[in-house]
Amino acid sequence: MTSTGIRLHAPAPGWAIAADVVVVGSGVAGLTAALRCEAAGLRTVVVTKARLDDGSTRWAQGGVAAALGEGDTPEQHLDDTLVAGAGLCDREAVRTLVTEGPGAVRRLIATGAHFDESTEGGLALTREGGHHRRRIAHAGGDATGAEISRALVEAVRARGLRTVENALVLDLLTDADGHTAGVTLHVMGEGQHDGVGAVHAPAVVLATGGMGQVFSATTNPSVSTGDGVALALRAGAEVSDLEFVQFHPTVLFLGPDAEGQQPLVSEAVRGEGAHLVDADGVRFMLGQHELAELAPRDIVAKAITRRMQEQGAAHMYLDARHFGADMWEHRFPTILAACRAHGIDPVTEPIPVAPAAHYASGGVRTDAHGRTTVPGLYACGEVACTGVHGANRLASNSLLEGLVYAERIAADIAAESTAGTPRTRVPAPVPHPDHPEHPLLPPESRLTIQRIMTEGAGVLRSADSLTRAADRLHALHTEAREALHEHGKTSEPGVDTWEATNLLCVARVLVAAAARREETRGCHWREDHAERDDTAWRRHIVVRLNPDRTLAVHTTDTPEFPPTVHGAQPTHRPQEQSQ
């Protein structure tokens, strides 16, 4: 690994905390990793962008997929995951997920999470798209994420873990040997710490969630601006499969000009028997897939988009009127309330729905223990690319991946320490540069980037649309660089400008990968290359950031990832090019 030397333009840290491990993010992945690290005797600090319970996890409605039901097996769960991943899943990573998953869910329950139970006792399990068995455990009807978040936050507070809330992570610190030495961060508002500071630690766990805010309409909260992926790129890490952004098929349609976070209508609604229909009431999923409305998400999203194009419609409908008021109120109270808040009553009328950006299947490339290509830097949850999801995530595998791989990361960090003693000395970070030359975008660039991405790299993509998007993103990048180099000016450091700059970084990588992949696979749909091409494209696209801020893009030789060998670059990078 070679560091890029690139950091965000920010004041030098004015305070510092020492730890064995710093976990960035407070969703299911981050808090699970933090609790396991603390239990291993490691001094653990949790840094989170908002409040502890304010990440993407609490918005998860459907549940956690695991082979917990009678007659179900990890092998069947593996098969469904591989089918959804469209030929790009890492089979061993999936096997790890499905075999360790049931135990991880039971440990989550032991931590204090309460899942819904059936009338016969035991967990109440439902189905979602792509699953051939009822294996989705849920809580509060459709409030699974909120319950998991509650249980983990309570456990963190009960164990007295040190936390830094309302803190935007900025950059990775490294020592003279290129090993992780902590992070810099900016704390927003008053508290024990304020302004830019640092956590010095030899292990950093990125669990920063997704990057849905790179698009105009998304199910992701406003904090999901790709900060972890951007930080990893600046640190010299490799990212992979970023072109595979899952657009959830059924997001509440709030109008053609709606922007920002949109209410999700969980796949579990279809799992319980809701039907997708057009304005004439025709069920258009029948005959398109053996599972009809419960086909994998990419297939359903494409079918909805095609029908919208055919009929010149802005949305389709999800019809669950046959559920009746009692089922809506007890099984899906959160969705019912969201719909009614926007003037729609699912008990008496179909719900208008359309696809919106939902989940990044790609991210910072890791091995089976969550290790990235930067020594000491780990990643888990949506920010990571473990190989589990391939080209399209199977419904409700995300919370499970966060649980399983967070536990594996904690075990790996703990294995390098003597039980009950600090892992190692806190490394001395390379000094903060006097004149960082990474320009910051103005806050208004955020909306510009989102519209560029929605128009050019949304559900439907083509060489022309991606070229236009790349050109417009490059213009933003060039304008900011020229303002700095020619006039010595950059936007004022602050949360809005740091987020906009991170969004531009991940947008450029996503578009570069999507342009390179000249086929349709999983949730990547190229209108100009409508077929899947296993001969040329059953492999991964890996991207690094060069020190001159160009992108190094290469394609792997095989469907398998190369090892994440610390301290060395792979000896061969087929088809690598800078752009």
Side-chain angles (χ1 to χ4, degrees), residues 354-527:
H358 182 57
Y359 190 89
S361 292
V364 185
R365 191 167 76 80
T366 74
D367 67 7
H369 301 282
R371 296 176 292 212
T372 73
T373 52
V374 177
L377 178 65
Y378 297 79
C380 59
E382 190 173 354
V383 71
C385 182
T386 62
V388 160
H389 304 307
N392 184 47
R393 175 176 67 90
L394 180 66
S396 287
N397 269 356
S398 52
L399 293 174
L400 189 70
E401 183 195 32
L403 284 171
V404 168
Y405 282 88
E407 291 188 341
R408 292 177 73 82
I409 286 172
D412 190 75
I413 296 173
E416 297 189 23
S417 67
T418 303
T421 64
R423 180 175 183 259
T424 184
R425 67 176 181 84
V426 176
V430 173
H432 188 83
D434 291 332
H435 301 287
E437 292 188 314
H438 195 55
L440 300 178
L441 270 65
E444 59 268 23
S445 297
R446 178 171 180 149
L447 283 176
T448 303
I449 293 165
Q450 291 171 333
R451 290 166 182 169
I452 290 170
M453 294 298 289
T454 297
E455 293 169 12
V459 178
L460 296 175
R461 302 166 178 176
S462 67
D464 288 344
S465 76
L466 291 165
T467 298
R468 287 194 300 271
D471 289 346
R472 294 173 68 190
L473 294 172
H474 182 70
L476 289 175
H477 177 70
T478 302
E479 182 179 346
R481 288 194 67 183
E482 289 178 350
L484 178 64
H485 292 303
E486 295 180 12
H487 307 290
K489 295 180 179 180
T490 187
S491 294
E492 190 71 21
V495 174
D496 290 345
T497 56
W498 288 320
E499 286 185 334
T501 304
N502 285 339
L503 283 172
L504 177 62
C505 179
V506 297
R508 291 176 62 216
V509 175
L510 193 161
V511 168
R516 171 67 70 91
R517 184 173 291 281
E518 295 180 336
E519 65 159 354
T520 290
R521 181 185 298 270
C523 51
H524 171 68
W525 187 7
R526 285 283 297 262
E527 292 181 283

Side-chain angles (χ1 to χ4, degrees), residues 196-211:
V196 174
V199 181
H200 296 158
V204 171
V205 181
L206 290 180
T208 52
M211 53 185 218

